[in-house]
Amino acid sequence: QVQLVESGGGLVQAGGSLRLSCAASGRTISNYVMGWFRQAPGKEREFVAGINWSGDDIYYADSVKGRFTISRDNAKNTVYLEMNSLKPEDTAVYYCAANRNREFIGSHPNYYGYWGQGTQVTVSS
């Protein structure tokens, strides 16, 4: 199976930017649809963004449209989430996820069978 490890989280002021990385190993992510989710304390895990194998099909949650950018570098076996204009409500643990489907982007957590451990993002007001 594929193993996923997130990095790049930290503390940032509101309005700032942060870039998260998801490094995959064990399998090439060229064979996977990749997604980012986040989960705040006491809340359910929610979809943030998804990207198909080639990066020509991308889907964002309404809450992050225009602020976040998902991208992938299959040669580096890495997926990124560029987060701009961060708000305190963006504070959460951010998870990288994968589904062994090259095209369809699912927005429900159950669609993804592989998950990383998560990286904490905290946005101060």
Side-chain angles (χ1 to χ4, degrees), residues 13-16 63 67-68 84-91 122-124:
Q13 292 183 343
S63 59
R67 300 189 299 119
F68 290 11
N84 300 310
S85 301
L86 283 163
K87 306 174 181 179
E89 50 262 46
D90 294 320
T91 295
T122 303
V123 184
S124 64

Side-chain angles (χ1 to χ4, degrees), residues 98-121:
N99 185 351
R100 194 171 175 84
N101 180 293
R102 304 184 74 198
E103 298 295 344
F104 180 77
I105 302 171
S107 59
H108 196 283
N110 290 348
Y111 180 73
Y112 297 87
Y114 306 97
W115 295 85
Q117 296 294 321
T119 185
Q120 177 70 48
V121 172

Side-chain angles (χ1 to χ4, degrees), residues 32-116:
Y32 294 83
V33 164
M34 305 297 296
W36 284 97
F37 289 76
R38 65 187 183 186
Q39 188 166 22
K43 297 183 179 179
E44 66 277 6
R45 190 166 298 187
E46 65 173 352
F47 175 80
V48 175
I51 186 169
N52 76 333
W53 77 277
S54 61
D56 60 357
D57 192 13
I58 295 173
Y59 180 66
Y60 295 100
D62 289 341
S63 59
V64 305
K65 284 182 179 177
R67 300 189 299 119
F68 290 11
T69 302
I70 187 172
S71 62
R72 66 192 300 161
D73 188 336
N74 290 340
K76 295 182 178 180
N77 228 25
T78 302
V79 180
Y80 305 96
L81 185 68
E82 184 74 34
M83 304 184 294
N84 300 310
S85 301
L86 283 163
K87 306 174 181 179
E89 50 262 46
D90 294 320
T91 295
V93 177
Y94 282 71
Y95 297 91
C96 178
N99 185 351
R100 194 171 175 84
N101 180 293
R102 304 184 74 198
E103 298 295 344
F104 180 77
I105 302 171
S107 59
H108 196 283
N110 290 348
Y111 180 73
Y112 297 87
Y114 306 97
W115 295 85

